[in-house]
Amino acid sequence: VIDGTIFLMDNPDAEITQLMEFIKGPDFPTGAYIMGLQGIKDAYETGRGRVIMRAKADIEATDQHDKIVITEIPYGVNKSSLVENMANLVKDKRIEGISDINDYSSDKTGMHIEIDIKRDANAQVVLNKLYSYTQLQSTCGTILLALVNGEPKILTLKEILQHYIDHQCSV
């Protein structure tokens, strides 16, 4: 963000797309992937956007069966509720092909959820259904809202950086 701010100070006519080379997007504390750049671009250009986040999940093949290993989840998703929801979907037969769900997460190793896939099931199909039916994929609304002269305003990325620069100069 500071590199983008310095770039704007050196180039006051900079476009938002130029600033995006420095400020790629939000950095969520729980990790996960951001799907596509359009939501970020909308937020930076208009002050409002929708960011689609997807859990970091890998498919691992073992001798007995495949398994899905989840190591990061979208911001704001409660892990225990997520695991419970997945178990309920399996129990209700909305998602087929899962034989077991285990949460091996700890403070030392971090997030680690393993989903065992039945031998006759396709792990990628099961993962896609989990993205559809659970919070392994979720949307986060963004709004660049700030107080400007005591009034709340929705700002673009460039405007927010310029107000920050102006504030630093006045301080």
Side-chain angles (χ1 to χ4, degrees):
V1 173
I2 293 301
D3 290 342
T5 304
I6 292 168
F7 181 80
L8 182 59
M9 289 168 54
D10 294 339
N11 305 283
D13 295 330
E15 297 292 323
I16 290 175
T17 53
Q18 293 173 297
L19 295 172
M20 285 182 70
E21 292 176 28
F22 299 95
I23 307 169
K24 307 285 186 196
D27 181 19
F28 295 107
T30 56
Y33 296 114
I34 293 176
M35 305 303 291
L37 297 175
Q38 191 59 49
I40 297 169
K41 189 175 181 193
D42 290 344
Y44 286 172
E45 290 177 346
T46 67
R48 291 181 182 268
R50 292 169 44 98
V51 177
I52 298 171
M53 297 174 297
R54 184 177 269 193
K56 183 176 182 184
D58 295 309
I59 297 172
E60 295 180 2
T62 65
D63 292 338
Q64 293 135 354
H65 55 80
D66 290 347
K67 64 182 173 181
I68 299 169
V69 178
I70 300 165
T71 54
E72 297 175 6
I73 58 175
Y75 178 68
V77 173
N78 181 297
K79 180 186 54 125
S80 56
S81 297
L82 174 68
V83 172
E84 184 180 333
N85 185 24
M86 287 190 278
N88 288 335
L89 289 168
V90 172
K91 187 177 83 175
D92 296 341
K93 298 191 187 297
R94 286 195 61 199
I95 295 180
E96 303 213 359
I98 295 176
S99 62
D100 199 12
I101 301 170
N102 295 299
D103 183 2
Y104 297 113
S105 303
S106 72
D107 290 342
K108 290 181 181 179
T109 60
M111 173 77 58
H112 189 93
I113 300 169
E114 288 187 10
I115 302 167
D116 294 334
I117 306 299
K118 293 179 181 175
R119 288 180 195 231
D120 60 341
N122 183 322
Q124 189 61 55
V125 171
V126 172
L127 181 58
N128 289 342
K129 285 183 181 180
L130 287 169
Y131 285 139
S132 295
Y133 296 138
T134 69
Q135 287 186 305
L136 284 181
Q137 179 170 307
S138 62
T139 303
C140 178
T142 58
I143 182 167
L144 301 180
L145 183 66
L147 289 176
V148 178
N149 299 323
E151 252 182 69
K153 289 186 102 177
I154 297 173
L155 306 171
T156 66
L157 176 64
K158 184 175 178 178
E159 291 170 336
I160 238 170
L161 290 176
Q162 190 58 57
H163 282 289
Y164 173 75
I165 293 165
D166 295 344
H167 168 73
Q168 290 300 316
C169 289
S170 71
V171 169

